[in-house]
Amino acid sequence: MALLMFILSLAIAFAQEQFVGVLRASTTRVKQYGGRILILVGVWLVVLAIWADFYARYFPV
């Protein structure tokens, strides 16, 4: 059981280092996707603010 826990903790540590390395290598792509998501959320909030009456009929509170 102790050996299994040791192997599992090593596997998690190695996977985490590899995952962080991949993220560091592609930070520009992550920033671009994050920016696009923020823009889409902002546009959606503006649409909801402009046409609030239209959406209130379909999504009553």
Side-chain angles (χ1 to χ4, degrees), residues 2 8 10 15 17-18 22-23 25 27 33 40 43 46 55-56:
L8 184 62
L10 281 177
E17 287 179 16
Q18 203 171 27
V22 168
L23 283 179
T27 55
Y33 288 140
L40 287 174
V43 167
V46 169
Y55 288 108

Side-chain angles (χ1 to χ4, degrees), residues 13-53:
F14 180 71
Q16 183 179 3
E17 287 179 16
Q18 203 171 27
F19 181 70
V20 169
V22 168
L23 283 179
R24 284 187 181 153
S26 62
T27 55
T28 57
R29 198 174 341 159
V30 170
K31 287 179 184 178
Q32 287 175 346
Y33 288 140
R36 290 176 184 158
I37 290 171
L38 285 174
I39 290 171
L40 287 174
V41 169
V43 167
W44 177 247
L45 289 175
V46 169
V47 166
L48 285 178
I50 293 173
W51 292 292
D53 294 333

Side-chain angles (χ1 to χ4, degrees), residues 48 51-61:
L48 285 178
W51 292 292
D53 294 333
F54 174 76
Y55 288 108
R57 281 185 274 158
Y58 298 107
F59 303 110
V61 178

Side-chain angles (χ1 to χ4, degrees), residues 1-10:
M1 185 72 153
L3 182 62
L4 179 64
M5 292 292 285
F6 182 73
I7 291 172
L8 184 62
S9 63
L10 281 177

